[in-house]
Amino acid sequence: MNCRHVQNNLSAYLDQELTIEEMADIRTHLYDCSACREEEAELRSLKALLTGMKSKTPNADFEERLVNSTIQKGMAEARAWPRRAGIFLVVAVCSMLGTMQLLQSMKSRQDEITAKTERSHEIASAIHRDQVFTASLDPYNSGSIVLPTDGSDH
Amino acid sequence: MLFSAVKERQNTGIDHARFEQLMRSSNKQAYSLAYRLTGNATDAEDLVQESFLRAFRFFKKYDPSLPFSSWLYRIVTNTHIDLVRRKGRLKTTSLESNGHDGSPTWDLPDATAAADHNMTQGALEEPVQQALNAMTVEFRMAVLLADVEGLAYEEVAEIMGTSVGTVRSRIHRGRKQLRAHLVKNAPETYGGLGDEL
């Protein structure tokens, strides 16, 4: 057991918060090591200083003030809580309904756009069919037509 | 009176008479800890009042099979951390410590040794409180709960909501912070006491 390990465990040693074996090991080390003995003595006197500190007492009227204030404030909070909870519930329900309404309107708008897009595709297909049919009737055409490419304005 | 107490209990779900009894039996103990944590009477009163209000709020969650003081200490320590953070006074002081002028000895730990040194300690009461005030809040709590309140590490860990290993480390580092502060700010008184002990 080295000095570093002992000094890190001196507080626990003083508080008797180590195992019997650890206590014995540190005790043996302290017998042989004057530096660690000094450190132990310092911490021991500090601990004695703290454990000997007197209790602080409040003013004589503190207890009555404390009891009255705590019960009064606690009761007021307890009475206010259902009201606050009610307000919170109303706000939460309103927010939920508002969100649902918004989502519904967004969905309707999306459906409308989808329907318009589908109608556009149908018209484009009809035009394409007409072009193919017209091209096949043209005696000066060899039967081929120029099809629009992707991303064109057609 | 009885009707009023029963009605109050129905309103809040709390046994007011029981809570008041616990408050009366534990407020002095709570105040003493609060004073050591805050360093002055005004903040100590505020801390105790806020802590009991929180205790009232959550009294339904209190397990009566456990000591009320442990439950209250936990509330006091958490409330103190909240109040300190709210005030923006959370300390982040150095963990370094130094000073080795105690007399060599290897006696077994003696927790009762302090009783014989009250006269000498009177002179150190204020410097020690100042040193406590200067400590990191978590270290201060661990040291106070273990040394001033005399709790075991396991109880301190329960109150602070942490592990025994962390408590061990905080107490050791806290004492070293405390000693470093005393060596620096009250070298004559503290050095003299160290020699006597």
Side-chain angles (χ1 to χ4, degrees):
Chain A
M1 186 171 276
N2 60 30
C3 292
R4 186 185 167 88
H5 181 80
V6 168
Q7 294 196 8
N8 280 340
N9 284 284
L10 277 178
S11 284
Y13 170 76
L14 288 166
D15 296 335
Q16 301 184 44
E17 290 275 358
L18 297 173
T19 64
I20 294 170
E21 292 78 19
E22 286 171 324
M23 294 285 286
D25 287 345
I26 289 180
R27 204 176 301 141
T28 307
H29 180 91
L30 290 177
Y31 185 75
D32 294 328
C33 177
S34 61
C36 287
R37 273 204 307 275
E38 277 186 28
E39 179 75 359
E40 189 261 356
E42 282 257 346
L43 287 172
R44 188 161 56 87
S45 59
L46 190 71
K47 180 178 164 61
L49 196 63
L50 289 163
T51 52
M53 284 178 93
K54 288 176 186 167
S55 289
K56 285 285 179 182
T57 48
N59 291 333
D61 65 337
F62 177 64
E63 186 171 303
E64 284 311 313
R65 282 192 285 120
L66 175 72
V67 169
N68 292 334
S69 136
T70 306
I71 299 285
Q72 272 177 15
K73 282 184 185 171
M75 287 284 293
E77 276 186 8
R79 279 195 295 269
W81 191 86
R83 280 200 295 273
R84 280 206 297 267
I87 292 167
F88 176 77
L89 199 66
V90 167
V91 170
V93 168
C94 288
S95 305
M96 204 167 68
L97 289 173
T99 309
M100 284 170 69
Q101 185 74 28
L102 186 67
L103 287 173
Q104 188 63 40
S105 71
M106 283 171 72
K107 190 173 182 309
S108 302
R109 175 80 183 132
Q110 186 61 43
D111 289 348
E112 198 179 318
I113 291 168
T114 307
K116 280 182 179 172
T117 308
E118 282 172 2
R119 180 72 187 135
S120 300
H121 287 168
E122 281 171 16
I123 292 168
S125 295
I127 291 168
H128 181 231
R129 278 197 305 274
D130 286 352
Q131 282 177 334
V132 171
F133 180 72
T134 308
S136 67
L137 293 178
D138 186 353
Y140 299 104
N141 188 310
S142 59
S144 62
I145 58 165
V146 179
L147 293 173
T149 56
D150 289 343
S152 72
D153 294 335
H154 297 289
Chain B
M1 185 66 191
L2 181 65
F3 176 73
S4 142
V6 170
K7 198 176 171 194
E8 280 175 355
R9 183 174 184 163
Q10 282 173 345
N11 286 342
T12 61
I14 289 174
D15 184 344
H16 287 209
R18 174 79 182 124
F19 187 78
E20 185 178 329
Q21 185 191 12
L22 288 167
M23 214 175 357
R24 289 191 186 280
S25 64
S26 59
N27 75 83
K28 288 186 177 64
Q29 211 179 350
Y31 176 86
S32 189
L33 174 64
Y35 188 99
R36 295 302 177 195
L37 282 170
T38 59
N40 68 78
T42 309
D43 286 345
E45 284 196 4
D46 289 348
L47 175 55
V48 174
Q49 284 187 334
E50 179 63 25
S51 300
F52 273 110
L53 191 58
R54 288 187 187 191
F56 185 88
R57 228 175 265 161
F58 299 107
F59 192 53
K60 278 181 272 186
K61 291 183 180 175
Y62 164 60
D63 178 359
S65 65
L66 301 171
F68 181 73
S69 59
S70 297
W71 188 66
L72 181 63
Y73 278 0
R74 184 165 197 167
I75 295 174
V76 171
T77 51
N78 287 336
T79 307
H80 178 57
I81 288 179
D82 290 348
L83 293 177
V84 167
R85 285 184 181 153
R86 206 178 295 164
K87 286 180 181 175
R89 287 192 291 142
L90 194 62
K91 303 281 183 187
T92 51
T93 45
S94 164
L95 303 180
E96 290 173 6
S97 63
N98 49 40
H100 298 277
D101 55 357
S103 58
T105 173
W106 65 288
D107 288 348
L108 289 174
D110 181 6
T112 62
D116 301 328
H117 299 279
N118 283 346
M119 290 295 286
T120 322
Q121 281 176 331
L124 268 170
E125 182 84 11
E126 189 54 32
V128 171
Q129 186 60 58
Q130 283 172 5
L132 283 167
N133 297 348
M135 283 168 74
T136 311
V137 66
E138 285 84 0
F139 293 0
R140 178 166 68 237
M141 279 176 183
V143 167
L144 284 173
L145 290 170
D147 289 340
V148 180
E149 301 300 323
L151 301 180
Y153 284 11
E154 203 171 335
E155 291 172 284
V156 178
E158 174 66 27
I159 287 167
M160 295 187 72
T162 187
S163 69
V164 172
T166 303
V167 167
R168 179 185 296 194
S169 165
R170 284 178 182 174
I171 288 173
H172 187 61
R173 292 158 76 184
R175 282 179 187 158
K176 291 178 93 169
Q177 274 190 4
L178 195 64
R179 184 178 60 180
H181 191 279
L182 286 170
V183 166
K184 186 179 174 188
N185 297 289
E188 290 177 12
T189 326
Y190 178 67
L193 181 67
D195 291 341
E196 285 177 36
L197 292 172

